Amino acid sequence: MIEITKEYIENLKKVIETKDDKKAVEILNSLYPVEIAELYKKLDLEEAIYLYLLMDGNKAADVLMELDDNDRDKLLDKLPNEVIAKRFINEMDTDDAAELMREMDEEDQEEILSHIEDVEQAGDIIDLLKYDEGTAGGLMGTEMIVVNENWSMPQCIEEMRKQAEEEELDEIYNVYVIDDDEKLKGVLPLQKLITRPSVSKIKHVMQKDPILIHDNAEIEEVVELISKYDLVSLPVVDSIGRLVGRITVDDVIDEVKEQHEKDYQLASGISQDVETSDNVFTQTAARLPWLLLGVVGGLSNSRILGGAVAALSENPKIAFFIPLIGGTGGNVGTQSSAIVVQGLANNSLKTSQIIKQVVKEAAVALINASIISLIVFLYNYFTLGDQYITMSVSISLFAVVLFASTFGTLVPLVLDKFKINPAIATGPFIAITNDIIGMVIYIAIIALLMG
């Protein structure tokens, strides 16, 4: 690995400025694709394009897929569709090519496909573009080794060699076995190629009933299967069991990472996917909606407090505990929702377990509420000297913790039921709502106890 320092960038810029192609190629050959992608952020767009056009097709395609979505879009916008087709798409696996083209408009897709010389590859990409992005079909690729169950081992080996050359496969994860109707029948262990070189039909040595997934399954199911069974590759079949593609573990890792980043931003109150490289207006548009919701929540609280102005004037100590009530409710709600969201994300929380989970959260909330309210009661009892406020704060905390825990548990479940990303429940939504409800509970109990 090469350390990309400020001096390194300055030297590279001099090479680009003088158009020293030979030196630039030497530098590019010494770097991994992910390192070249990091350089992109340090260079002007024209400088980046100069370097991209010097790279060989395979490396240029790998670098392109390492870029952030926004950086990739900026680069592609500056390149003709013919260059994109011949320099990038031609050198990519079909799943990467489909991912790249899925964000383009239909006119650009058609023009790029018209420049792809390999008709079969173009057809595979068209087939993949028909799948929704969030399905197994939208994630799979079509490059794989496929053999017929009735072939002999020598015939199988010869066909595998031929397919590996045609597909230009860098790695072979599995050899899939199909019947005459192209239905998936099993997987051929590579170990059998060595130990059973003369078997008459490979169906006698293949592993039957392999773990598979259907092309319309959601990506969450793909992640669960690969994680549960420690797979490096997962075959994808259509509705009648025909083999249509395969998903590799590296594709899943990229997808999980991307989804985690989106969920983290959503939970932090950012309404759309943004990068540090995005401009001021894009980042403002992503952050402002939840900030405005927070302002509405704050104004609502001020209205609630306005209704209790007489009590606050008579006993200002009431105001001391407003941050405690709001903060505790927000924290409890966020904790409860985070546990449920995690269970929904990794499929450890099944539909049949929902009632059990709600009951468990209620029990945890009851214990936490009792301990917290008791600690605050004892503290106020010995330090405050006001029995009405002492009772009001303790009872309010008890009620707020119970409500926040229940609310934080139910909201992500409801959102998931309506196909809305439940990660939204771990962010400002829960905190703001609990803050308002907590204030209502506090003021109501004060009014009840103190008249």
Side-chain angles (χ1 to χ4, degrees), residues 1-2 8 25-32 35 59:
M1 293 182 61
I2 296 177
Y8 186 93
V25 170
E26 288 180 3
I27 294 174
L28 292 172
N29 289 339
S30 67
L31 296 171
Y32 290 99
E35 293 173 330
K59 194 163 192 175

Side-chain angles (χ1 to χ4, degrees), residues 238-414:
D238 63 13
S239 58
I240 60 174
R242 292 177 301 186
L243 180 66
V244 292
R246 60 89 186 101
I247 299 173
T248 56
V249 66
D250 58 315
D251 297 324
V252 173
I253 291 173
D254 291 340
E255 186 65 30
V256 170
K257 179 182 177 183
E258 182 179 346
Q259 189 60 49
H260 175 73
E261 290 174 350
K262 289 180 179 179
D263 287 349
Y264 180 78
Q265 290 186 345
L266 192 59
S268 302
I270 300 177
S271 58
Q272 64 189 51
D273 189 22
V274 293
E275 304 289 345
T276 54
S277 58
D278 288 336
N279 59 46
V280 172
F281 297 104
T282 300
Q283 295 207 24
T284 300
R287 301 182 190 187
L288 190 58
W290 281 113
L291 295 177
L292 291 176
L293 184 60
V295 170
V296 172
L299 292 175
S300 300
N301 271 338
S302 67
R303 295 285 294 178
I304 295 169
L305 289 173
V309 65
L312 287 169
S313 299
E314 182 179 341
N315 196 336
K317 293 178 182 179
I318 293 173
F320 295 170
F321 301 96
I322 291 176
L324 174 65
I325 300 294
T328 302
N331 290 336
V332 171
T334 301
Q335 287 179 349
S336 298
S337 61
I339 292 174
V340 175
V341 170
Q342 182 181 18
L344 293 171
N346 60 26
N347 288 315
S348 63
L349 181 58
K350 306 295 183 182
T351 305
S352 59
Q353 300 174 316
I354 289 178
I355 295 178
K356 181 180 178 181
Q357 180 65 30
V358 173
V359 172
K360 183 189 293 185
E361 282 298 320
V364 172
L366 188 62
I367 296 172
N368 287 339
S370 299
I371 295 174
I372 291 172
S373 59
L374 178 61
I375 291 174
V376 173
F377 175 83
L378 292 174
Y379 175 83
N380 286 341
Y381 181 81
F382 290 107
T383 62
L384 197 61
D386 189 317
Q387 61 176 337
Y388 291 109
I389 293 182
T390 297
M391 292 295 296
S392 297
V393 173
S394 298
I395 295 173
S396 296
L397 272 176
F398 187 87
V400 165
V401 170
L402 287 180
F403 169 81
S405 181
T406 304
F407 188 71
T409 301
L410 293 177
V411 167
L413 293 174
V414 172

Side-chain angles (χ1 to χ4, degrees), residues 69-107:
D69 291 345
N70 291 337
D71 292 336
R72 186 189 306 153
D73 292 341
K74 291 175 184 176
L75 176 66
L76 294 178
D77 286 343
K78 289 291 184 177
L79 296 176
N81 286 331
E82 183 176 1
V83 173
I84 295 174
K86 294 182 177 180
R87 294 284 299 174
F88 299 125
I89 303 297
N90 266 339
E91 306 296 335
M92 288 181 175
D93 290 339
T94 51
D95 54 340
D96 289 335
E99 178 187 345
L100 184 68
M101 295 179 61
R102 191 169 276 115
E103 304 300 325
M104 300 178 180
D105 58 50
E106 190 173 337
E107 184 178 343

Side-chain angles (χ1 to χ4, degrees), residues 148-157 188-189 192-206:
N148 190 285
E149 63 178 349
N150 295 314
W151 289 351
S152 65
M153 190 65 77
Q155 183 182 2
C156 177
I157 294 174
L188 178 62
K192 297 295 184 182
L193 298 175
I194 301 173
T195 60
R196 303 291 295 275
S198 59
V199 68
S200 59
K201 291 185 178 181
I202 60 174
K203 65 180 179 181
H204 298 315
V205 295
M206 71 180 183

